[in-house]
Amino acid sequence: MASEIINPRGELTRDQPTHSRPAELADAGIDPVFALHRGGKMAVLGTVPLRDADDLSLAYTPGVARVCQAIAERPELVDDYTWKSGTVAVVTDGSAVLGLGDIGPEASLPVMEGKAILFKQFGGVDAVPVALDCRDPDELVETVARLAPSFGGINLEDISAPRCFEIERRLQERLDIPVFHDDQHGTAVVTLAALRNAARLTGREPADLRVVISGAGAAGVAISRILLGAGVGDVVVCDRRGVVSADRTDLTDVKRELAELTNREGRTGSLADALAGADVFVGVSGGTVPESAVATMAPGAFVFAMANPDPEVHPEVAARHAAVVATGRSDFPNQINNVLAFPGIFAGALRVRATRITEGMKLAAAEALAAVVADELSPTRVIPSPFDERVAPAVAAAVAEAARAEGVARI
């Protein structure tokens, strides 16, 4: 029986035998995705010649000993004479991988490798996938802290909430290099950039907007915070039980703090209740939002339905009620894609050897990203393509400038 398989170029291929599980496709050798991934997607390459004994004596013994001694005398020289200042660790425990959930460290490696090559391709930043076999926050923080001397930054990836908040906070407090949980902040930066441009396109100010966010996990929390920091009028967050409000008794510590920051009008009820009259919907939770609820939003609304592969509101449905529609998918306009943010953010932070990535640096990244297409705005173009070569340099420059302005740059 024939099945449809998407090849690495995004094309449908047919006339392939049907296999019920991905491992069976791997065994059968018929799926081109497995052909691309065989042997992994990255390798380590040297940057200096090793042609003869003279080269070897410089790159390794005895010459390397002088470099080691210099770093021992002045530890800051490690940034000049090793790869540290240009290299990021992509760290996961495999507990919240894509939409697959808790699949473990080994199964997460294809994603971490993918992330590493995106760092290199789009930001010129070397990255190393590190999948850890530990779930206890204390152990994870300690392990990453012990690995940190080898890297200029730590990109946390696919770590489940609410653990991810504590792990990131503790590592930021302990380390003097950037620590960035991309599932939170990369998503937030790109969402803010798209929202800024949607507002410009429709002649509105962020302060006039009421945003409803479906999802109170890592992305939802970070988006809420960055939108409020950017001056958005109000944000209402909904989880599976409805509006996250201060009167609820079932909130985690993170959601309780979120309730204090958001929902200024004290709304209660369901997601559908919150959407009535709202200007913006941001979906980072999955599930389906009925068209009847979308239809109650304010005229000229924005719908950012970012769940993958199935948006909370199908773009064709959203377009019937919204002035601007964005998704997390590459086959519809306005893709909210983290690759627009994290390569440039780390490139800028590493360029000035920042000690951390501040809220101001994230806001600068969002503004720079929005500015890339500010003169080209249309309902189907409020955010650049990931392949727009202007993106990473613009974001990196803005982040580096913000780091210097906020006093976290070392050069």
Side-chain angles (χ1 to χ4, degrees):
M1 178 179 178
S3 63
E4 294 182 341
I5 297 175
I6 299 176
N7 70 21
R9 294 175 298 282
E11 303 162 341
L12 281 175
T13 59
R14 303 177 188 273
D15 301 323
Q16 305 282 11
T18 298
H19 292 262
S20 61
R21 301 177 65 84
E24 294 177 356
L25 288 170
D27 293 338
I30 59 170
D31 186 340
V33 168
F34 286 95
L36 182 143
H37 284 255
R38 182 172 290 278
K41 301 186 293 295
M42 57 186 296
V44 175
L45 298 175
T47 60
V48 297
L50 288 176
R51 297 161 300 195
D52 51 34
D54 287 340
D55 289 343
L56 189 59
S57 70
L58 293 172
Y60 199 51
T61 60
V64 72
R66 296 204 295 277
V67 180
C68 293
Q69 289 172 319
I71 294 171
E73 293 171 9
R74 289 174 48 199
E76 69 274 14
L77 291 178
V78 69
D79 290 315
D80 294 315
Y81 294 103
T82 72
W83 78 342
K84 175 173 178 169
S85 63
T87 306
V88 171
V90 181
V91 178
T92 189
D93 63 359
S95 60
V97 181
L98 301 178
L100 305 175
D102 187 350
I103 60 174
E106 288 88 353
S108 76
L109 267 177
V111 177
M112 301 310 118
E113 288 182 1
K115 196 82 172 191
I117 63 175
L118 294 179
F119 265 110
K120 187 66 173 179
Q121 178 69 27
F122 293 102
V125 173
D126 289 312
V128 178
V130 180
L132 300 177
D133 186 15
C134 60
R135 297 300 173 85
D136 179 77
D138 292 339
E139 292 182 3
L140 207 152
V141 168
E142 187 65 27
T143 302
V144 175
R146 290 177 182 273
L147 291 170
S150 295
F151 300 101
I154 305 293
N155 183 88
L156 300 174
E157 191 77 19
D158 292 347
I159 298 173
S160 63
R163 296 159 55 254
C164 60
F165 303 115
E166 176 189 355
I167 290 165
E168 181 190 41
R169 175 185 57 77
R170 290 172 58 184
L171 285 170
Q172 286 174 337
E173 292 171 352
R174 182 163 174 176
L175 302 179
D176 64 349
I177 58 175
V179 178
F180 186 84
H181 185 209
D182 186 51
D183 301 317
Q184 292 185 61
H185 310 300
T187 307
V189 165
V190 183
T191 301
L192 174 58
L195 184 62
R196 281 191 181 279
N197 276 343
R200 287 169 179 154
L201 178 66
T202 57
R204 283 181 276 185
E205 294 295 328
D208 299 329
L209 301 176
R210 179 165 66 85
V211 179
V212 174
I213 298 176
S214 176
V221 170
I223 292 170
S224 301
R225 288 173 174 163
I226 201 170
L227 294 186
L228 292 172
V232 167
D234 194 15
V235 175
V236 178
V237 183
C238 298
D239 62 12
R240 295 176 184 176
R241 298 184 180 179
V243 174
V244 175
S245 57
D247 63 337
R248 281 177 48 179
T249 59
D250 61 340
L251 300 180
T252 63
D253 290 343
V254 171
K255 290 183 182 180
R256 193 173 300 111
E257 179 183 353
L258 193 61
E260 294 173 357
L261 296 173
T262 61
N263 194 17
R264 293 170 183 168
E265 297 179 1
R267 294 173 181 270
T268 58
S270 67
L271 172 63
D273 295 327
L275 282 175
D279 301 291
V280 185
F281 168 75
V282 175
V284 284
S285 65
T288 301
V289 178
E291 182 173 0
S292 59
V294 179
T296 68
M297 295 179 68
F302 314 147
V303 172
F304 295 175
M306 293 150 52
N308 257 320
D310 299 314
E312 293 89 348
V313 185
H314 192 278
E316 293 178 1
V317 173
R320 293 200 280 264
H321 308 282
V324 177
V325 178
T327 73
R329 289 174 49 151
S330 59
D331 53 349
F332 291 102
N334 296 326
Q335 183 189 18
I336 308 291
N337 190 330
N338 289 20
V339 77
L340 290 164
F342 68 81
I345 288 173
F346 268 100
L350 294 176
R351 180 183 302 172
V352 297
R353 296 178 188 169
T355 57
R356 61 184 293 118
I357 295 173
T358 65
E359 293 304 311
M361 292 161 73
K362 297 170 198 171
L363 290 170
E367 187 58 50
L369 178 57
V372 169
V373 292
D375 296 329
E376 309 162 15
L377 295 180
S378 74
T380 58
R381 188 168 175 78
V382 297
I383 201 75
S385 161
F387 296 98
D388 190 323
E389 294 181 353
R390 299 172 294 176
V391 168
V395 172
V399 167
E401 182 179 352
R404 291 191 175 105
E406 297 199 6
V408 296
R410 283 181 275 208
I411 59 172

